[in-house]
Amino acid sequence: MANPKDVVVLVGSLRKESFTRKMANALRELAPPSLKLEIVEIGQLPLYNQDEDGTPPASWTAFRDRVRPASGVIFATPEYNRSVPAALKNAIDVGSRPYGKSVWSGKPAAVVSVSPGAIGAFGANHHLRQSLVFLNMPAMQQPEAYIGGADKMFDADGKIANPATRDFLTKFMAAFSEWVDRHAPAGTA
């Protein structure tokens, strides 16, 4: 495709070899040609503090400037204590402020939750969806992606080992491409 849609991927786990990062990389590989996915790092973002809004840290500005023109966002998250990791919540806060200047508003989103456990980080997935409602981000409802058994999902090269999972994620990404086409705000890349 000549002009694929720019999609930002935020990985909630900061661990270099995390299952969530492996999943984000798999989504990039399985994305249709209509989408161009880029993982945007969040670990370097200082904690959001409203006192810094007047002269924000350079990393906040760079993060906001990278997310703002994107056509969509994929949130890949593990589950920590039935919620999202602090780094992901902080990135959401950094992007939503200062008040009235959110980089998230109107951007179509998808949530992929990843866990070694059987319920696929269901709690984190739904907790994140609550925030997306407030942020005015239309979140794709179907198909849902609760990816359990992540500790057995990847081969030695970090690729999805199970053909059925690879097929599901390919369909998930095709559905997200259609979601972005329908909901991307005017003027996004």
Side-chain angles (χ1 to χ4, degrees):
M1 181 166 195
N3 291 313
K5 300 271 189 199
D6 176 31
V7 174
V8 166
V9 181
L10 301 184
V11 177
S13 177
L14 301 181
R15 189 169 61 91
K16 185 177 179 182
E17 294 296 320
S18 76
F19 302 129
T20 309
R21 183 168 295 278
K22 289 178 183 179
M23 178 58 62
N25 286 325
L27 294 173
R28 283 188 348 191
E29 292 176 13
L30 298 171
S34 57
L35 299 178
K36 182 182 129 241
L37 276 62
E38 179 186 346
I39 295 173
V40 174
E41 299 299 335
I42 61 174
Q44 79 290 356
L45 296 172
L47 289 176
Y48 177 74
N49 178 344
Q50 188 175 359
D51 292 342
E52 304 292 326
D53 280 349
T55 54
S59 60
W60 289 4
T61 301
F63 177 76
R64 292 166 177 161
D65 289 347
R66 174 59 192 96
V67 172
R68 189 173 290 109
S71 294
V73 181
I74 295 175
F75 295 91
T77 186
E79 182 170 290
Y80 294 0
N81 303 308
R82 295 287 186 250
S83 188
V84 297
L88 183 55
K89 177 63 169 82
N90 184 57
I92 291 167
D93 292 345
V94 167
S96 72
R97 305 298 291 195
Y99 182 78
K101 296 184 179 178
S102 174
V103 300
W104 309 119
S105 188
K107 286 196 191 310
V111 179
V112 179
S113 53
V114 182
S115 171
I119 61 173
F122 178 89
N125 191 304
H126 280 263
H127 196 205
L128 181 53
R129 287 173 179 276
Q130 289 175 343
S131 294
L132 300 183
V133 169
F134 177 78
L135 295 169
N136 191 33
M137 297 183 79
M140 185 171 75
Q141 291 95 24
Q142 293 292 325
E144 295 175 295
Y146 309 101
I147 310 299
D151 56 331
K152 298 170 188 69
M153 181 165 300
F154 302 97
D155 65 20
D157 296 321
K159 309 286 185 199
I160 303 269
N162 182 313
T165 302
R166 201 169 30 258
D167 182 55
F168 167 76
L169 292 170
T170 299
K171 290 175 183 171
F172 178 88
M173 291 307 301
F176 186 62
S177 179
E178 291 176 16
W179 189 254
V180 170
D181 284 344
R182 282 196 307 264
H183 298 283
T188 57

